Amino acid sequence: MARNGGVAWMRTTEKIDGYDLSTSDTEEVHVLAVDDSLVDRKVIERLLRISSCKVTAVDSGRRALQYLGLDEEIQKKETNGFDPFFYCDFQGLKVDLIITDYCMPGMTGYELLKKVKESSAFREIPVVIMSSENVIARIDRCLEEGAEDFIVKPVKLSDVKRIIDYTTTELREGELREGARAKRRGINKRKQREGDDDLSSSPPSTLSSSTSSSPSSSIQSATAPSSPSTLDSPTRRLKMTSSE
Amino acid sequence: MEVGQMQRRLVDYTKSLFMEGFLDAQFLQLQQLQDESNPDFVVEVVSLFFDDSEKLLNDLTMALDQPNVDFKKVDAHVHQLKGSSSSIGAQRVKNACIAFRSFCEEQNIDATLRCLQQVKQEYYLVKNKLETMLRVKQQIVAAGGSIPMIELGF
């Protein structure tokens, strides 16, 4: 938790007493968006801002880890007696959600997911994977590794709104349950392991992408009302308990 | 041309781009993300797409011009182009990329060269059309008019 101590020192909102694990004063969700494509970064950033989030967008898994303070290079330097605050430029505000592209050069989104879930400090941050390839095996692998959700690109406003809605709800519920640590565990407790029959009913984001082959059906999905914000998002039913 | 005429022209033109498959629903998503706080969002994203695509098309041309073509590299570039065209709703470019990738898998040099031509053609077509559309929008705004909402009753 030392890193969070460093982060708290850096924060622009003024919680100075060390381990502030609650959401910021304005209750805005802070999302770390990771995508190597400039076009996609611009779009996801806008989608998130319009959904009332704070956004930090980076172009690689490596930079994401640096931002979180998980980068091994920096860690090595710190254990060799370097002043951790020297590197505090790399670390920023507490992250409430990570949303990452799957296919990236260097570190893939899957590898980033694993690194985050392996870290005791950050494993409870929900990670959402985005991918243009709608491959069940890939989706399964990510969910098994602890991904919160899987969005098929191109990302739509309804996808983002759904994710932010249940992230916000989970954060708030956790706070009600007394204190920051309980909130963190709360996110994990909600995950249920469901049977395979749910795989046959594709989640909304997958479905609309696979039917967007002709202009008419694509436009229909755009003008249809966005999926209701509900805790019971279909993709969540696919999730498994995180292996702890 | 007076504002009303320009607005009608814009609506018809935009509708035709959807009817002819140049643009798909994702482009509508982008338009929804534009508002008074971000009035140039669509122009900005589209410009990024143009820059990104032109670089990728150059890289592709060079990669396919090698004596020993590295199809993995070619595929990686096409994958990127497919991604960005999909993200802005440039449907025909995206579809051309999908076909391109299957020929990369086959390592078919003749087919991939034809695909490159096809992708370039689709790219320049949609670029031209988007620039025209954005230009008309600018003219309407400059003349004090508002941009009409496109109703697509499909």
Side-chain angles (χ1 to χ4, degrees), chain A residues 166-177:
Chain A
Y166 66 68
T167 304
T168 308
T169 311
E170 290 199 337
L171 288 171
R172 248 184 239 137
E173 283 189 352
E175 272 160 21
L176 289 173
R177 239 177 269 139

Side-chain angles (χ1 to χ4, degrees), chain B residues 15-58:
Chain B
K15 278 187 177 173
S16 74
L17 296 186
F18 286 97
M19 299 299 298
E20 290 164 30
F22 287 103
L23 297 177
D24 64 26
Q26 187 62 16
F27 189 78
L28 291 175
Q29 283 281 316
L30 294 190
Q31 289 188 314
Q32 281 178 33
L33 298 179
Q34 183 162 296
D35 60 21
E36 308 80 47
S37 68
N38 270 261
D40 299 318
F41 178 72
V42 176
V43 170
E44 288 168 3
V45 181
V46 166
S47 305
L48 283 178
F49 170 69
F50 290 161
D51 292 341
D52 200 44
S53 302
E54 272 156 50
K55 183 178 175 305
L56 285 168
L57 289 171
N58 281 337

Side-chain angles (χ1 to χ4, degrees), chain A residues 40 42 46 133 155 157 218, chain B residues 25 29 33 35 38 44 87:
Chain A
D40 287 356
K42 176 122 184 132
R46 181 68 188 136
E133 326 271 298
V155 184
L157 193 53
S218 317
Chain B
Q29 283 281 316
L33 298 179
D35 60 21
N38 270 261
E44 288 168 3
S87 293

Side-chain angles (χ1 to χ4, degrees), chain B residues 129-148:
Chain B
K129 290 175 185 297
L130 284 170
E131 283 176 335
T132 302
M133 189 184 76
L134 293 171
R135 198 165 38 242
V136 176
K137 277 187 179 175
Q138 265 180 331
Q139 288 169 351
I140 291 172
V141 169
S146 59
I147 305 301

Side-chain angles (χ1 to χ4, degrees), chain B:
Chain B
M1 200 187 286
E2 50 94 36
V3 174
Q5 252 182 302
M6 287 196 280
Q7 285 170 328
R8 276 188 298 278
R9 188 183 162 213
L10 176 65
V11 170
D12 290 341
Y13 192 70
T14 309
K15 278 187 177 173
S16 74
L17 296 186
F18 286 97
M19 299 299 298
E20 290 164 30
F22 287 103
L23 297 177
D24 64 26
Q26 187 62 16
F27 189 78
L28 291 175
Q29 283 281 316
L30 294 190
Q31 289 188 314
Q32 281 178 33
L33 298 179
Q34 183 162 296
D35 60 21
E36 308 80 47
S37 68
N38 270 261
D40 299 318
F41 178 72
V42 176
V43 170
E44 288 168 3
V45 181
V46 166
S47 305
L48 283 178
F49 170 69
F50 290 161
D51 292 341
D52 200 44
S53 302
E54 272 156 50
K55 183 178 175 305
L56 285 168
L57 289 171
N58 281 337
D59 292 343
L60 278 167
T61 307
M62 283 204 306
L64 283 172
D65 201 29
Q66 303 301 309
N68 285 321
V69 174
D70 181 352
F71 282 101
K72 267 206 151 72
K73 206 174 190 184
V74 173
D75 184 70
H77 290 316
V78 181
H79 172 81
Q80 272 190 283
L81 184 56
K82 176 184 150 243
S84 54
S85 56
S86 159
S87 293
I88 71 147
Q91 186 174 253
R92 279 161 59 151
V93 177
K94 178 188 79 175
N95 289 340
C97 288
I98 292 172
F100 199 154
R101 290 192 80 193
S102 60
F103 288 117
C104 285
E105 241 180 293
E106 287 176 27
Q107 310 216 346
N108 184 331
I109 185 69
D110 290 329
T112 48
L113 281 169
R114 279 198 299 276
C115 284
L116 176 59
Q117 287 320 303
Q118 182 70 14
V119 171
K120 279 182 176 173
Q121 192 176 307
E122 291 299 345
Y123 167 71
Y124 285 112
L125 273 171
V126 80
K127 178 173 191 224
N128 187 281
K129 290 175 185 297
L130 284 170
E131 283 176 335
T132 302
M133 189 184 76
L134 293 171
R135 198 165 38 242
V136 176
K137 277 187 179 175
Q138 265 180 331
Q139 288 169 351
I140 291 172
V141 169
S146 59
I147 305 301
M149 292 290 289
I150 311 292
E151 303 288 332
L152 288 160
F154 289 98

